[in-house]
Amino acid sequence: MKNLLLASAASLLIATPSYAQDEGETCADCRYVTAGRPQHEAIRPEAPDVSGNLTRVQRAPTCPSLPEEQAGIDDCHLGQGDDRSRLPGQPIDIVSADEFVIYVLGEGLPETPGTPAYSTVTIDREAITSSGSGRLEDALQNVAGFQQFRRSDSRSANPSAQGATLRALGGNASSRALVLLDGVPMGDPFFGYIPFSAVDPSRLARARVTRGGGSGPFGGGALAGTIELESVTSQDLETFNAYGLVNDRGDTEVAASAAPQWDGGYAVVHGRWDRGDGFFTTPEADRVAATSRANYESWSAGGRLVQQLGEDVEVQARVLAFEDNRTLRFDGADNSIEGQDVSLRLVTRGPWEVDALAYGQWRNFTNVVISSTRFVRVLDQKDTPAEGFGGKLEIRPPLGEDHTLRFGADFRRSEGDLFEDAYSAFSGNLTEERFAGGVNTDLGLFAEHDWEIGAVTLTGGLRADRYTIRNGYYQAFNGSGVLVTDNTYPDRSDWEVSWRAGALFDVSDAVTLRAATYTGFRLPTLNELYRPFVVFPVVTQANEALLPEKLEGWELGADFDFEVFDLSLTYFDNKVEDAIANVTIGTNLRQRRNLDAIDAQGVEVIMGFDMGDFRLDGSLVAVDAEVVGTGFAAPLDGNRPSQTPDLAASLTASWNFMDGGRLSATLRHVSDQFEDDQESDVLPAATTVDLFAQVPLVSNLSLIGRVENLFDEVIITRNQGGSMDIGTPLTGWIGLRWGY
């Protein structure tokens, strides 16, 4: 599976039935599409879009009127969704009566009417592909409150520190937000980190971020929220697309894709290669002869196939392969990740809607630890193979216009092993060989019902998860091959029940009030249970007895959507019981342990001004998070969780100055954070400005310019007793883009 290069995913949709009229008459030449949607995103004629607007499509110059309860308007008009300024029902171009139109989707089932009851933000394709760095994790920071464990991106962070979380519900580097790509969990089966470098932003259509607990498919991992990434379809790409950029250090970034279409389907085949000597993460005053730049080289390749199997059925297949190699701080401190992912999805959009998905993942991780005093190898985490398998079945029966029910089951299995060698910093001799691993499984049953009652929408969901933690072990042999530790851990299993409920009230066309309450849980990863690690000189021990984390939370919000201005306000109160954190238990010694809780309350603000070609988008979160600790954790009681800021904000101004031309500037601020649970080492606040420019040259060719950290702000990403790492300095990029 190591060299898999092709991926695919699919969907097609036909929208051409006839509708019965009053008095038994028919309108055979009429069909419906959703107003305000791109053509390839049209939905079935019977289903309204989330705004409830349906527009009838005329196939001939004349067409008898239909009942308003079916159409929402009184005359047969064409409602093509590409022009969002056109009012539903306004006459536009005529479609030939004998023309049969097929709409390609390549997506899962649409979100349910109750989804907006939970704090949700969507980042569109334009914003994803116009960040200063060109990295997915950078684009996601447009939603304030999204964070990784450290402030570094995929070029200069240890991959195992790239977990994703929201709402300051941190404590260590594991992901507390569930990240999905076309419905498939992206978290590493062993560590739980997200391989951001494997996902090229240019092949995404949008990212939808839902903050707070979830109880839908795979909701067992959505402790802090869900990040849903959706792949771009061939309709938004040229047949061939490519770009290449180089920065002022000589680092390069190239990518290409092909998007052929045929009757009944399409494919998108893609590849990307990044490489560079990188920048020094060590401050200049602390550099020594062994200090290395953050060298990196990564590639990813894959594809997605979309094929119609019938009027209501589509199949989506996806394959992805990737590899990422990095060097951090010192020569020889190399780490790498690699992976091969496959998935197959079947979506039906008949009266009974079905979303069936199966996937497999094969991943690996390596890491070499170099002594920061003698600059020699002290630990070689030479092999960490892991496998993840799973799937889901979601069913939505026809219950009428006012009710939406979905129910089903999902399953995830993660298995992995650790092989590492420890060496003496003085003699260089092998001192210990270590082996560890185990298997986690989670079988979830879920149901969720939405009920629309005029201006009110009520939603409620329930999950029951049966999890197992089994086959855990840890072995160690000394340098002579003699067994010194042989631990096998008892298998565990239990049920966890979680739920969520919410309500929406449309005060007017422009104002919506919402409220939600929820619970959730997260299993400890294999990494947290069985793998110790070293960030020299600090050793962090594993803990096979860790309990699952459990969330309780509620929130209130209001959404305002005016002609040129939109605003979303949310107050939340979230508490994670048995939160897993790296707890200091001695000098340069920590262990993963369950705290009593992490308690976080905060305010989230999302705003936008839309003035035609100019747009301003802002996001802010202010949060008060603290540890609740008794017993061994009593000294931590009231402390802010490590790596957690109390304020984060993002503001982007963009100007589409001509067709295909765009200028944007992004201002971001993150407040100070503490490196550790003792609040002894501070990561100072940082404010950065990034720039992006796209200038059309000829045909589909554009000039691209990007600037990261315009004012060269010093960003401290690690501070352990004064030993520091720094983030991306001022960096300029220039290149060309064709298509996309």
Side-chain angles (χ1 to χ4, degrees):
M1 302 296 297
K2 210 173 215 180
N3 296 319
L4 283 169
L5 297 180
L6 221 9
S8 35
S11 89
L12 293 170
L13 207 37
I14 297 180
T16 53
S18 61
Y19 285 81
Q21 305 297 302
D22 291 333
E23 307 300 327
E25 297 178 0
T26 61
C27 181
D29 291 329
C30 293
R31 60 188 175 86
Y32 297 77
V33 297
T34 301
R37 286 181 181 263
Q39 180 172 348
H40 66 281
E41 293 185 356
I43 61 174
R44 280 192 59 81
E46 305 94 305
D49 68 353
V50 293
S51 67
N53 294 325
L54 283 178
T55 303
R56 284 182 290 176
V57 179
Q58 182 176 325
R59 288 180 175 270
T62 61
C63 186
S65 295
L66 299 183
E68 289 191 10
E69 65 267 24
Q70 285 186 333
I73 56 175
D74 195 37
D75 297 310
C76 251
H77 293 302
L78 177 67
Q80 228 29 31
D82 287 331
D83 185 354
R84 293 178 180 269
S85 65
R86 186 173 289 117
L87 294 175
Q90 183 176 346
I92 58 175
D93 301 331
I94 300 300
V95 178
S96 170
D98 58 2
E99 185 179 356
F100 203 79
V101 181
I102 293 177
Y103 296 88
V104 179
L105 284 179
E107 300 176 356
L109 297 178
E111 63 182 32
T112 60
T115 300
Y118 308 99
S119 179
T120 302
V121 184
T122 298
I123 308 173
D124 63 22
R125 174 169 171 77
E126 202 167 45
I128 292 174
T129 57
S130 58
S131 70
S133 68
R135 321 297 296 190
L136 173 59
E137 58 270 39
D138 186 22
L140 290 173
Q141 291 185 65
N142 287 336
V143 179
F146 166 83
Q147 68 175 102
Q148 303 172 89
F149 187 64
R150 298 199 181 276
R151 298 172 176 180
S152 308
D153 65 24
S154 298
R155 295 164 294 185
S156 60
N158 190 294
S160 63
Q162 291 196 269
T165 193
L166 299 158
R167 290 185 168 173
L169 299 178
N172 66 6
S174 294
S175 287
R176 286 168 174 80
L178 174 65
V179 181
L180 305 173
L181 175 59
D182 298 323
V184 177
M186 285 296 292
D188 182 83
F190 191 94
F191 293 89
Y193 68 79
I194 308 302
F196 287 109
S197 62
V199 183
D200 182 355
S202 68
R203 64 183 181 89
L204 295 178
R206 66 189 61 84
R208 184 165 58 245
V209 181
T210 302
R211 295 165 291 190
S215 62
F218 303 117
L223 194 79
T226 305
I227 300 171
E228 299 170 86
L229 308 175
E230 296 182 13
S231 292
V232 68
T233 72
S234 64
Q235 297 288 325
D236 290 327
L237 297 172
E238 300 297 324
T239 302
F240 176 76
N241 311 268
Y243 67 83
L245 296 99
V246 61
N247 72 15
D248 51 88
R249 293 186 297 271
D251 305 342
T252 58
E253 177 184 315
V254 295
S257 67
Q261 304 180 46
W262 55 85
D263 185 18
Y266 69 87
V268 177
V269 182
H270 56 84
R272 172 168 162 157
W273 176 44
D274 299 346
R275 56 141 305 277
D277 291 335
F279 57 90
F280 284 106
T281 60
T282 304
E284 185 173 3
D286 298 332
R287 293 172 196 166
V288 297
T291 300
S292 172
R293 291 176 177 267
N295 306 323
Y296 67 95
E297 182 174 15
S298 67
W299 63 264
S300 65
R304 191 166 180 256
L305 175 70
V306 174
Q307 181 61 53
Q308 182 183 10
L309 297 182
E311 181 175 340
D312 301 318
V313 182
E314 59 188 76
V315 65
Q316 308 171 9
R318 184 174 61 84
V319 180
L320 173 68
F322 62 88
E323 184 175 319
D324 191 343
N325 298 276
R326 311 173 198 176
T327 300
L328 304 179
R329 299 190 72 206
F330 300 118
D331 292 331
D334 303 325
N335 62 71
S336 71
I337 60 173
E338 65 176 64
Q340 301 87 37
D341 296 1
V342 297
S343 66
L344 184 66
R345 190 179 200 178
L346 187 71
V347 179
T348 69
R349 291 182 170 85
W352 284 75
E353 295 182 310
V354 176
D355 189 348
L357 171 71
Y359 70 88
Q361 299 168 329
W362 295 265
R363 306 281 180 86
N364 206 340
F365 168 85
T366 68
N367 184 55
V368 176
V369 178
I370 299 295
S371 165
S372 60
T373 56
R374 299 185 63 83
F375 313 111
V376 296
R377 177 182 59 175
V378 292
L379 184 65
D380 184 1
Q381 297 169 323
K382 59 185 179 182
D383 199 19
T384 317
E387 299 177 345
F389 300 97
K392 76 162 184 178
L393 176 64
E394 178 181 341
I395 300 172
R396 300 184 186 181
L399 297 181
E401 294 183 357
D402 299 331
H403 295 272
T404 302
L405 173 67
R406 61 173 180 162
F407 63 89
D410 55 67
F411 176 75
R412 280 183 288 177
R413 182 182 188 276
S414 300
E415 179 177 1
D417 297 280
L418 162 72
F419 305 93
E420 68 178 28
D421 297 335
Y423 294 88
S424 168
F426 298 94
S427 67
N429 294 332
L430 176 68
T431 59
E432 197 167 69
E433 295 178 285
R434 301 165 185 158
F435 306 89
V439 178
N440 285 359
T441 66
D442 182 3
L443 172 64
L445 307 174
F446 63 89
E448 189 163 51
H449 177 236
D450 297 349
W451 184 13
E452 299 172 86
I453 315 168
V456 175
T457 300
L458 303 177
T459 179
L462 182 69
R463 274 190 67 92
D465 286 87
R466 176 67 174 181
Y467 72 84
T468 67
I469 299 175
R470 55 191 178 87
N471 298 346
Y473 73 94
Y474 180 86
Q475 290 183 325
F477 297 81
N478 65 20
S480 301
V482 177
L483 181 66
V484 294
T485 305
D486 187 9
N487 294 330
T488 57
Y489 306 117
D491 294 347
R492 293 184 278 156
S493 62
D494 204 349
W495 284 93
E496 288 288 347
V497 176
S498 55
W499 51 268
R500 69 177 182 176
L504 290 164
F505 174 47
D506 294 326
V507 178
S508 67
D509 290 341
V511 180
T512 300
L513 303 180
R514 50 186 167 80
T517 182
Y518 37 76
T519 64
F521 93 104
R522 182 186 74 90
L523 277 181
T525 64
L526 299 174
N527 175 58
E528 292 170 316
L529 291 165
Y530 308 120
R531 172 186 170 265
F533 72 95
V534 178
V535 180
F536 197 86
V538 179
V539 176
T540 301
Q541 299 175 340
N543 186 349
E544 76 285 350
L546 290 171
L547 301 174
E549 296 179 331
K550 300 176 184 179
L551 170 73
E552 295 179 356
W554 60 270
E555 61 191 60
L556 298 173
D559 301 321
F560 305 88
D561 188 4
F562 302 106
E563 185 174 353
V564 297
F565 173 68
D566 54 84
L567 175 67
S568 177
L569 303 173
T570 304
Y571 175 82
F572 66 88
D573 187 331
N574 287 181
K575 184 177 184 178
V576 179
E577 297 179 345
D578 294 320
I580 299 171
N582 300 335
V583 177
T584 300
I585 59 176
T587 303
N588 291 331
L589 182 62
R590 299 172 185 166
Q591 185 183 42
R592 300 185 183 100
R593 292 190 177 182
N594 291 108
L595 303 174
D596 295 58
I598 291 177
D599 203 355
Q601 299 86 35
V603 176
E604 296 162 335
V605 181
I606 302 290
M607 56 75 66
F609 284 96
D610 190 350
M611 291 158 276
D613 293 330
F614 179 81
R615 182 168 177 88
L616 194 65
D617 292 283
S619 177
L620 178 145
V621 59
V623 59
D624 179 16
E626 65 178 28
V627 172
V628 179
T630 60
F632 74 87
L636 307 179
D637 188 58
N639 285 5
R640 198 193 313 171
S642 60
Q643 303 289 335
T644 299
D646 56 17
L647 179 69
S650 174
L651 182 67
T652 297
S654 59
W655 178 34
N656 296 328
F657 61 91
M658 63 181 297
D659 186 22
R662 178 178 174 86
L663 301 175
S664 69
T666 298
L667 171 69
R668 290 205 181 101
H669 175 80
V670 60
S671 66
D672 58 4
Q673 305 166 222
F674 291 107
E675 170 72 30
D676 61 345
D677 58 335
Q678 305 290 309
E679 296 189 344
S680 55
D681 296 318
V682 178
L683 307 177
T687 303
T688 60
V689 174
D690 292 346
L691 303 178
F692 174 86
Q694 177 173 308
V695 180
L697 298 177
V698 60
S699 185
N700 293 317
L701 184 66
S702 297
L703 177 69
I704 302 296
R706 302 193 316 228
V707 177
E708 302 178 67
N709 196 0
L710 176 64
F711 298 110
D712 205 19
E713 176 87 340
V714 177
I715 306 167
I716 305 300
T717 64
R718 183 186 65 87
N719 179 9
Q720 292 180 331
S723 173
M724 296 184 183
D725 287 338
I726 56 177
T728 306
L730 169 63
T731 304
W733 294 82
I734 192 167
L736 297 173
R737 174 186 288 174
W738 176 274
Y740 286 116

